[in-house]
Amino acid sequence: MWRVVSRPLTGTHRMQRTWSDGRPTSAITAQIAKANDRLTSFERLEIYNRMYWFRVLDSLYDDCPGLRGVLGDRKFMRLAEAYLVKYPSRSFTLRNLPSRLAKFIREEPQFTHPHTALCLDLAHFEWARVEVFDTAARPLFTVDDLLDADPAKLRLNLQPYLQLLQLDYPVDDYVLEVKKREAELLRGDASNAPSELRSSVTVRLARPRPARTFVAVHRMAGTIYFKRLDPAAYKILTAIRAGKTLEQALSVGVPRAKQPRADWAAKIQGWFANWMELGWFCRAE
Amino acid sequence: MPANKFNGYTDYGVGIGLRIPHYDHILSQKPTVDWFEIISENFLVDGGRPLDVLDQILAQYRVVQHGVALYFGSAEAPNRDHLRRVKKLIARTKTPWLSDHLCWGSVDGTYSHDLLPMPYTHAAARRTAEKIRQIRDFLEVPIAVENVSSYTEFHVSEMTEWEFLSAVVELADCGILLDVNNIYVSSKNQTFNPYDYLDQIPHHRVAQMHIAGHTKFEKYLLDTHDHAPPDPVWKLYAHAIRQCGVTATLLEWDDKIPTFDEVHNEALKAHEFIDQAREAKIPAPRETVRARAR
């Protein structure tokens, strides 16, 4: 029955009439289910076939406003269906449904051509939003935690939910703009049956032009925020996340230039003060 | 039977499902509500807004966990990561009982995220009961299994749905979350008398009831939870509490969700039938064995 339920629908959202081996699907369904006085076995199992696809496609639709914006609804649905055929859900929660979407886009670029690089950035960025929303937060690091610390060996820790992204496109601004145009759709797993695909809200904006972009996706009071980072700041933060000492992280981030060090000191001090205010540093586990 | 071993000897009254569109209203207005049911899987996360909101709710209200993905009827072993997370959530919510559905929904680690109907066979009943026992032993909380709406019948089935439900809960020695709307929907789709269903289950095992609305299509009913319960569902509910005793009751409204007050007022209509049942002073149901072990 699972093969019947998970088989992709037709373009008009109906169960396919022909089975993969050429037999009529009705011959397969008749072996599994009984007909009644109103519905054939095909029609009865089609209810489940449609509900499965409506639910998983709706979930991805909610999670990927940026990808939808770039591809348009029809092309996005083709991508989503092909993705779910190759990588059906392996998690008890729909929250994890987009976790392998970037991998799929890399493996199957024909679904996103000619915007594959942009779509890859969007898949990474939109998955980061999911992760930031409900990943753990640890107790905040405070100035008191610096007491007795050896500056040469000091290692800082970043909040587990903080996501640091290096992107080829400014997709943070793009997604914000798309979401501004759409009504915010809220996630909710419940036990009811979807009766149809949600009617689409097509938001088409000019696609962003390539521009190397460094972004932190973080949260405050339960709300997700995006913060642009200076390339050096990004390098420092990723080095801290990789477990480098503060001294090593700074040496990775600050370019060996002839610029006066005083400028860098003020800049770095400002970054760290800001990151502390945002609660990005936490105590070690 | 308001309080029994299947609902942790509690008498919770009439509750509603905790849903995102009502968060702000509940947290700011703090309305009086007997209890909230949460979808466990929405809170099996490590942090962020879901747990922040839940903790605020727990500070004010009683909460019961209702799952949608334990899949008691799936052939595979329980997902250990899933169970560990559910157990951690139980420690947080102190839910007196936990419910999930009598259905399958996963195959070899692939999840459908749907509540798929089971073949009503003796072998499936035994296997499902064994899985419920394993899960209960791990979670250490009473379990109630919910009958689902169904849209099909299998050739291999050997018994009716109510016989299957009875067999499973008796073999597992667990409770029933009796979804009255689901019985109504299935009775129309499968053409059986819903009162026969209600009369022939082990009433003393009913730990909780669900009421909800559905959508009527030309040839079948769909369990959409996007309406108030229609009259036939309320009538069935009235019959159910006369048979099973007044027990924790919850209104499910999961789509096209109206205001908090509208949902809550609809749920409170249950009191009309609860009062009638109490006035009738019907004795608590006796322990009965409905299914024959095979």
Side-chain angles (χ1 to χ4, degrees), chain A residues 163-202:
Chain A
Q163 298 282 316
L164 304 167
L165 300 174
Q166 177 181 315
L167 304 162
D168 293 322
Y169 292 83
V171 294
D172 51 343
D173 285 346
Y174 180 73
V175 170
L176 272 178
E177 194 57 35
V178 170
K179 286 182 70 69
K180 209 183 290 179
R181 303 275 188 97
E182 285 188 2
E184 180 72 85
L185 300 170
L186 300 169
R187 178 196 307 279
D189 294 341
S191 57
N192 63 311
S195 56
E196 57 189 5
L197 268 179
R198 178 157 337 127
S199 53
S200 57
V201 183
T202 305

Side-chain angles (χ1 to χ4, degrees), chain B residues 113-282:
Chain B
H113 303 286
D114 203 351
L115 310 172
L116 299 171
M118 297 195 62
Y120 305 139
T121 66
H122 292 283
R126 283 194 300 272
R127 198 173 51 238
T128 304
E130 177 56 29
K131 193 167 175 182
I132 292 168
R133 283 178 176 274
Q134 285 174 18
I135 291 172
R136 183 181 55 212
D137 289 349
F138 182 83
L139 297 179
E140 299 178 293
V141 67
I143 284 181
V145 295
E146 177 182 352
N147 55 296
V148 298
S149 288
S150 64
Y151 311 101
T152 193
E153 297 160 276
F154 297 111
H155 291 298
V156 296
S157 286
E158 299 163 347
M159 58 186 107
T160 63
E161 185 186 327
W162 55 90
E163 287 169 339
F164 183 73
L165 172 66
S166 301
V168 169
V169 296
E170 287 174 355
L171 288 167
D173 191 17
C174 70
I176 297 173
L177 193 181
L178 192 66
D179 191 312
V180 177
N181 176 59
N182 287 351
I183 292 175
Y184 183 77
V185 168
S186 295
S187 75
K188 293 297 172 193
N189 291 338
Q190 322 296 4
T191 319
F192 63 75
N193 182 344
Y195 291 89
D196 286 346
Y197 193 125
L198 283 179
D199 290 346
Q200 294 180 52
I201 54 169
H203 302 127
H204 70 286
R205 291 183 180 275
V206 173
Q208 181 196 334
M209 292 188 196
H210 270 170
I211 43 177
H214 54 260
T215 301
K216 190 173 182 180
F217 289 94
E218 188 186 342
K219 293 180 178 179
Y220 63 95
L221 302 186
L222 196 64
D223 180 30
T224 46
H225 297 184
D226 59 354
H227 292 79
D231 284 345
V233 172
W234 281 120
K235 280 182 188 159
L236 263 186
Y237 172 72
H239 186 74
I241 57 176
R242 281 170 175 265
Q243 294 280 31
C244 309
V246 175
T247 192
T249 297
L250 183 118
L251 171 67
E252 294 184 295
W253 203 319
D254 298 316
D255 204 1
K256 300 175 189 161
I257 301 174
T259 64
F260 172 88
D261 286 335
E262 196 172 329
V263 174
H264 193 213
N265 289 337
E266 188 62 34
L268 293 178
K269 287 182 185 170
H271 280 299
E272 182 187 328
F273 305 101
I274 289 171
D275 292 346
Q276 288 169 11
R278 287 207 164 117
E279 279 168 22
K281 294 198 169 119
I282 297 161

